[in-house]
Amino acid sequence: MSSPREQRWASLQILGVRVDCVDFHQTLDAVSAWIAQSRARDEKSEDAAPRLRQVCTVNPEFIMTARRQPAFAKVLAAADLCTPDGVGVLWAARLAGVPLTERVTGSDGIHRLCQRAAQQGWRVYFLGAAPGVAERAAAELARLYPGLPVAGAYAGSPAQADWPQIRRRLAAARADLLFVAYGHPRQDIWIHQRRDELPVAVALGVGGAFDFVAGVTPRAPRWLRGLGLEWLYRLVRQPWRSRRMAALPLFALMVLVEWVRLRPTKQ
Ligand code: UDP
């Protein structure tokens, strides 16, 4: 059986973290293949449940967090797909001589995946964010993508005490695709730790995407995103992020140092 991970996309290491060289088209195809595999197994009632596939959207904050938290670095290393998220990741890839065509973010990915889900009939579950936000995000996506099979929506929390309740809800929902909005690194670690128990084919951490879709947090205008300045917009609108985002200049510096170190020197 082939899986997209076995297809071995080209990938690169940015400060020790793997980033797969995929665009949205390849990401959607991978998710599609995984869901089809999972459904085929269900139809055959094969005993061994297919392994959950985990997608992580790797931006510079992820990379800097992974450098501080080995447990998170292990989760990213084990993920089935680490998409390039963030203009800093595209810039670092270009420096490394690997031009990537686009950012594959959770905030855009949730739209692309829900659009495909509506076409293909994938059942989608929305887990996370503040109470009521997941339901609002699901309703908005169902409005945008008519026919979207919403398997359920629930805030829950990544706390262990909430797990039995979440497990019960997911077992009843029979979802193919699970979006988890608990912010990084928690959401990604949460998925990884429960990968043998989550009854879905594919799980993806989406950070603040439900907040964007539900209109709780405004997203940067498209033209600003096009200029690669979404991070600046978020910083101005959500100044409490400044401590987290302080890691970004350090990321840029470390990438540059690495680039100088690895650059072939002329004799
Ligand atoms: N969140 C949550 N439970 C928690 C911590 C966070 O539901 O215990 C949600 C929060 O409401 C928000 C999202 O997780 O919707 C975090 O969004 P953020 O943009 O900070 O994600 P990141 O950029 O860290 O991935």
Side-chain angles (χ1 to χ4, degrees):
M1 183 171 63
S2 79
S3 77
R5 188 79 195 103
E6 287 148 18
Q7 284 167 14
R8 295 182 204 286
W9 296 290
S11 63
L12 77 155
Q13 298 281 326
I14 300 179
L15 302 181
V17 173
R18 189 189 92 237
V19 175
D20 294 314
C21 304
V22 292
D23 56 17
F24 264 118
H25 184 77
Q26 290 163 304
T27 302
L28 285 166
D29 281 355
V31 171
S32 193
W34 288 329
I35 291 177
Q37 279 170 16
S38 171
R39 286 185 164 188
R41 278 177 167 258
D42 281 353
E43 269 169 29
K44 284 194 231 152
S45 314
E46 288 186 16
D47 284 344
R51 191 168 66 75
L52 169 109
R53 307 295 186 156
Q54 179 168 11
V55 181
C56 298
T57 60
V58 177
N59 66 26
E61 279 186 49
F62 275 54
I63 293 173
M64 297 309 277
T65 306
R67 292 183 69 83
R68 287 194 312 274
Q69 296 187 25
F72 183 49
K74 279 191 190 143
V75 169
L76 296 181
D80 295 280
L81 179 56
C82 288
T83 69
D85 180 0
V87 67
V89 164
L90 263 55
W91 167 77
R94 198 169 340 113
L95 266 190
V98 186
L100 299 173
T101 49
E102 60 184 348
R103 297 164 57 201
V104 180
T105 67
S107 307
D108 292 318
I110 196 169
H111 284 276
R112 302 282 194 112
L113 285 162
C114 285
Q115 188 178 32
R116 183 71 76 93
Q119 292 161 357
Q120 309 266 315
W122 302 339
R123 293 173 58 74
V124 184
Y125 200 100
F126 299 82
L127 179 69
V133 174
E135 288 83 348
R136 280 161 57 194
E140 174 62 8
L141 288 161
R143 187 186 70 77
L144 290 171
Y145 309 110
L148 174 71
V150 175
Y154 179 55
S157 94
Q160 183 57 30
D162 270 7
W163 171 234
Q165 170 73 263
I166 294 173
R167 186 168 46 190
R168 263 196 303 279
R169 286 173 182 254
L170 285 174
R174 301 185 56 79
D176 299 295
L177 177 60
L178 172 67
F179 293 120
V180 183
Y182 289 144
H184 92 285
R186 269 208 259 182
Q187 63 196 13
D188 309 278
I189 295 172
W190 187 93
I191 293 169
H192 179 80
Q193 287 176 339
R194 289 161 183 79
R195 63 194 178 284
D196 294 329
E197 293 177 83
L198 285 170
V200 297
V202 180
L204 169 80
V206 292
F210 296 176
D211 296 332
F212 290 133
V213 174
V216 174
T217 310
R219 190 144 187 227
R222 198 175 287 272
W223 64 268
L224 212 52
R225 280 185 261 158
L227 291 175
L229 292 175
E230 182 161 27
W231 60 271
L232 182 61
Y233 183 88
R234 288 192 97 178
L235 186 60
V236 171
R237 298 294 302 227
Q238 301 171 297
W240 52 266
R241 285 183 170 273
S242 57
R243 258 190 64 206
R244 278 173 46 174
M245 291 175 80
L248 301 186
L250 184 60
F251 168 82
L253 185 66
M254 289 174 74
V255 168
L256 277 176
V257 168
E258 186 89 343
W259 177 68
V260 170
R261 202 171 61 79
L262 296 180
R263 212 159 46 131
T265 45
K266 290 200 184 106
Q267 296 289 331

